[in-house]
Amino acid sequence: MKHLNQNQEFRFNEVLFEHRNKEYGAYALRNESDRILTKALFVGVSLLAAISITPFVISAFQSDVRSESGDGVEIVLVDPVVPPDIQVKPPVQIQKTEVQPPKVKTYDATLGEPKAHVTNEKVIEKIEGAVAGPENNKDGIIATTNYHSVPPQAGTGPAVPYIPPTSPAKVPDNHIADPTELASEAVFAGGIDSFRNKVMNNFDGSGFGDDGGIMKTVITFIVEKDGTISGLKANGKDADFNNEAIRTIKNIKGLWKPAKNKQGETVRSYFKFPISMNFE
């Protein structure tokens, strides 16, 4: 069947190119078309097969390689081991030791009091390498300095010298504190109500019932540091009523809790106690 088709094609080409130039390329291509198509088919199939097996060849080369040495020992190639990061230790801080200042020899360079007649003239002892000072010292003393270290301060301005805080002056023993100086006022040991009840119970008003009416006075006294009272004064209009009020307060038994200033010190302070009685 194949040969029949080829013969028919050949005869058709002979009739088609009769009385024509058969050397022309079209005549040769038509006669050799089957052979060219067959050759192209084989080339295409070969390329397709080569492309298909290429991935398998590459994967085979990438797999672990095993080899044997001449002595029959199997050698297995593995991935290299990466060492861990090395920790760097911080540098050791070296503490500077304080250098003690050198000792300095001194000789007494103070001037004596001038007198009309010198009896014992002062003789300065010579000490080699000594400097002037208040006394003779052959062994030497450590030189002092008035320099005070200044603590570091934040900011860009000039550094301010550090001035150590000074403790407040001690309050004199006889000083009586002003109310503005007090942090807590003096108070009776049992409370102000207890003190008021003692005054009312001990006050002798038998001599003041004849005149009748209301009598008033204000007693001012000093509460001492030990809790006692002193310096009692009354400023009422009736002298007898004032004296009885002073007598009553003097005879009350019990101590006071003294006042304290804002520094927490016990101080002397004034205390005013008004008294008012109605005699009818």
Side-chain angles (χ1 to χ4, degrees), residues 7 23 30-31 52 80 86 92 94 107 109 116 142 145 148 176 184 187 190 198 237 248 255 258 263 275:
N7 292 332
E23 299 297 330
R30 289 182 68 87
N31 287 334
S52 301
I86 300 175
V92 179
I94 301 175
Y107 65 89
I142 298 175
T145 177
H148 298 281
I176 301 175
S184 61
V187 62
K198 289 179 181 292
K237 295 180 180 180
T248 301
L255 295 177
Q263 287 76 34
I275 298 176

Side-chain angles (χ1 to χ4, degrees), residues 7-20 22 27 31:
N7 292 332
Q8 290 178 355
E9 183 71 22
F10 178 76
R11 287 196 298 270
F12 178 75
N13 291 336
E14 291 294 331
V15 174
L16 183 64
F17 287 93
E18 188 178 1
H19 305 296
R20 294 184 182 181
K22 294 182 179 181
Y27 176 79
N31 287 334

Side-chain angles (χ1 to χ4, degrees), residues 35-243:
R35 187 171 57 84
I36 293 172
L37 290 174
T38 303
K39 184 177 181 181
L41 177 61
F42 282 109
V43 172
V45 172
S46 300
L47 291 175
L48 182 61
I51 294 172
S52 301
I53 66 174
T54 299
F56 297 100
V57 175
I58 294 174
S59 61
F61 279 107
Q62 289 181 347
S63 61
D64 293 340
V65 178
R66 295 172 178 262
S67 62
E68 292 184 358
S69 65
D71 299 333
V73 180
E74 185 180 5
I75 301 174
V76 180
L77 302 179
V78 295
D79 295 333
V81 178
V82 180
D85 295 336
I86 300 175
Q87 295 182 355
V88 180
K89 295 183 179 180
V92 179
Q93 296 183 355
I94 301 175
Q95 295 182 353
K96 296 183 178 179
T97 56
E98 295 184 358
V99 179
Q100 193 74 6
K103 292 185 177 182
V104 179
K105 297 179 180 180
T106 60
Y107 65 89
D108 187 3
T110 57
L111 299 176
E113 182 181 357
K115 297 180 180 179
H117 301 285
V118 179
T119 56
N120 294 323
E121 186 177 358
K122 180 179 178 181
V123 179
I124 299 176
E125 181 181 356
K126 290 187 66 177
I127 301 175
E128 185 177 357
V131 298
E135 60 181 357
N136 293 334
N137 194 319
K138 296 180 180 179
D139 298 331
I141 58 175
I142 298 175
T144 58
T145 177
N146 294 328
Y147 171 76
H148 298 281
S149 60
V150 179
Q153 298 179 352
T156 57
V160 180
Y162 172 72
I163 301 176
T166 56
S167 58
K170 188 178 180 180
V171 180
D173 293 338
N174 58 350
H175 173 71
I176 301 175
D178 191 78
T180 58
E181 303 176 21
L182 299 180
S184 61
E185 297 182 351
V187 62
F188 189 67
I192 192 65
D193 292 336
S194 175
F195 181 74
R196 185 180 292 108
N197 292 333
K198 289 179 181 292
V199 172
M200 299 302 295
N201 294 332
N202 292 305
F203 193 91
D204 185 6
S206 59
F208 306 101
D210 298 337
D211 297 336
I214 298 175
M215 303 187 72
K216 298 181 180 180
T217 187
V218 177
I219 306 298
T220 303
F221 54 88
I222 301 171
V223 179
E224 301 290 343
K225 294 181 181 181
D226 58 358
T228 59
I229 60 176
S230 63
L232 283 79
K233 295 180 181 180
N235 64 351
K237 295 180 180 180
D238 190 293
D240 294 335
F241 188 78
N242 291 341
N243 293 332

